């Protein structure tokens, strides 16, 4: 199987609690390599654009407010079947339902403050990566 890439965000609840290194370590131990990473304070426009697919959902405003509340770390991850591998190590959205040893079981505070975002397909990963990174910033 070939190396593929996926996109990850370490969310405000994790950066606020200084968990960037702990989360990245779990990603790397799962076989993913960080090939681009930057800490940003997402603007409202960025958050609304990134989560536009959820614009009509009742939680959209709360999600945007949360994502701009503190810095986040956006990352490009590379590995064998990177999307699936990342989603496996992230765990279920609801930390109460996440498997032991996953990022969300270990670090998430709630369904809303669930520590990480990860792309759900290779197509979405490409779109999400391009939203935050130029090609010359990916240096794996």
């Amino acid at each position: 199987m070939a190396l593929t890439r996926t996109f990850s965000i370490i969310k405000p609840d994790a950066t606020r609690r200084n968990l960037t290194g702990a989360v990245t370590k779990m990603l790397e131990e799962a076989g993913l390599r960080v090939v681009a990473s930057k800490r940003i304070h997402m603007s409202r426009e960025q958050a609304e654009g990134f989560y536009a697919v959820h614009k009509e959902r009742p939680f959209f405003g709360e999600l945007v407010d949360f994502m701009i509340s503190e810095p986040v770390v956006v990352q490009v991850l590379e590995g064998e079947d990177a999307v699936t591998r990342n989603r496996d190590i992230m765990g279920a959205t609801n930390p109460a339902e996440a498997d032991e040893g996953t990022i969300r079981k270990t670090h998430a505070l709630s369904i809303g403050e669930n520590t990480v975002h990860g792309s759900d397909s290779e197509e979405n990963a490409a779109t999400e990566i391009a939203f935050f990174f130029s090609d010359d910033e990916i240096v794996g």
Side-chain angles (χ1 to χ4, degrees):
M1 185 173 283
L3 292 179
T4 58
R5 290 184 175 159
T6 192
F7 178 76
S8 173
I9 301 176
I10 301 175
K11 293 182 177 182
D13 62 294
T15 63
R16 180 179 63 244
R17 294 178 292 140
N18 203 29
L19 295 173
T20 301
V23 170
T24 300
K25 181 179 183 200
M26 292 177 80
L27 294 168
E28 290 176 336
E29 288 177 345
L32 296 165
R33 182 172 182 224
V34 178
V35 296
S37 180
K38 57 186 170 183
R39 185 179 183 96
I40 64 170
H41 202 135
M42 205 181 289
S43 69
R44 179 168 297 279
E45 293 74 27
Q46 281 177 311
E48 287 175 348
F50 186 78
Y51 288 106
V53 66
H54 299 302
K55 190 171 180 76
E56 301 305 318
R57 299 244 172 116
F59 60 81
F60 178 73
E62 184 179 331
L63 174 61
V64 168
D65 288 344
F66 169 60
M67 292 303 293
I68 67 173
S69 68
E70 300 274 346
V72 299
V73 176
V74 292
Q75 297 180 319
V76 180
L77 307 174
E78 186 175 80
E80 297 285 335
D81 196 16
V83 169
T84 301
R85 191 172 295 229
N86 186 42
R87 295 191 68 76
D88 287 348
I89 192 59
M90 285 190 333
T93 302
N94 182 347
E97 297 172 2
D99 291 338
E100 289 296 329
T102 62
I103 293 169
R104 288 178 172 151
K105 185 66 161 188
T106 304
H107 296 297
L109 300 173
S110 66
I111 293 175
E113 291 185 309
N114 62 14
T115 306
V116 287
H117 162 87
S119 301
D120 62 2
S121 69
E122 287 190 27
E123 296 77 20
N124 284 341
T127 300
E128 293 175 347
I129 289 167
F131 192 90
F132 287 102
F133 292 95
S134 62
D135 287 342
D136 66 342
E137 293 177 299
I138 303 170
V139 294

